[in-house]
Amino acid sequence: MPTLSITLLGAGTIGASWAALFLSKGANVIVFDPNETALVMAKEQVIAAWHDLLTLNPMIAELPWDRLHLTTNMRKACDGPDWVQENAPDRLVLKQELLVQAETYLPIDTPIASSTTALLATDIQN
């Protein structure tokens, strides 16, 4: 079975948590954020999330740093992933603009999911 390639848009706490989960399932993960500082902080958040996952499943291996890539380059982040998980703050215009930018580079058939607590998917996709 081929290794899945996952792109995460947003390197905050939610994005880092998704990164750890996808890594624990054997995926290659690339995390995009326009803010370099957010990417540096994401490393620490991935470590914390990994420790939480180890509590739930002590059988997972050490954190596979070789399968985690961090970038401020949207084109690189959207180079043929199998799945995109958007994790930007819950601000409608921000999410919409981020997805428009990502869709510029993504293959047309790439599934995109959104982590949102208050926004409707129909509003985000407009």
Side-chain angles (χ1 to χ4, degrees):
M1 182 173 171
T3 302
L4 288 178
S5 173
I6 309 292
T7 291
L8 303 175
L9 303 176
T13 303
I14 301 299
S17 297
W18 276 119
L21 180 64
F22 287 129
L23 288 168
S24 77
K25 301 300 181 183
N28 289 319
V29 176
I30 188 163
V31 180
F32 165 82
D33 201 289
N35 184 327
E36 185 71 40
T37 302
L39 292 172
V40 171
M41 291 174 50
K43 287 182 179 181
E44 294 302 316
Q45 292 174 327
V46 167
I47 291 169
W50 193 262
H51 288 295
D52 292 341
L53 289 170
L54 277 170
T55 301
L56 296 171
N57 181 4
M59 301 301 289
I60 60 174
E62 289 187 33
L63 208 157
W65 290 108
D66 61 320
R67 289 191 283 111
L68 177 64
H69 307 282
L70 308 173
T71 187
T72 58
N73 184 320
M74 178 68 83
R75 181 185 303 259
K76 179 181 175 184
C78 294
D79 186 18
D82 297 300
W83 182 269
V84 173
Q85 181 67 48
E86 175 276 314
N87 310 294
D90 256 1
R91 294 194 306 266
L92 182 59
V93 172
L94 176 65
K95 285 185 181 283
Q96 288 172 331
E97 289 174 354
L98 181 65
L99 292 174
V100 165
Q101 185 183 6
E103 288 175 339
T104 301
Y105 304 111
L106 287 169
I108 196 164
D109 60 346
T110 305
I112 302 173
S114 179
S115 293
T116 182
T117 57
L119 301 173
L120 298 175
T122 52
D123 291 337
I124 295 170
Q125 67 190 9
N126 286 335

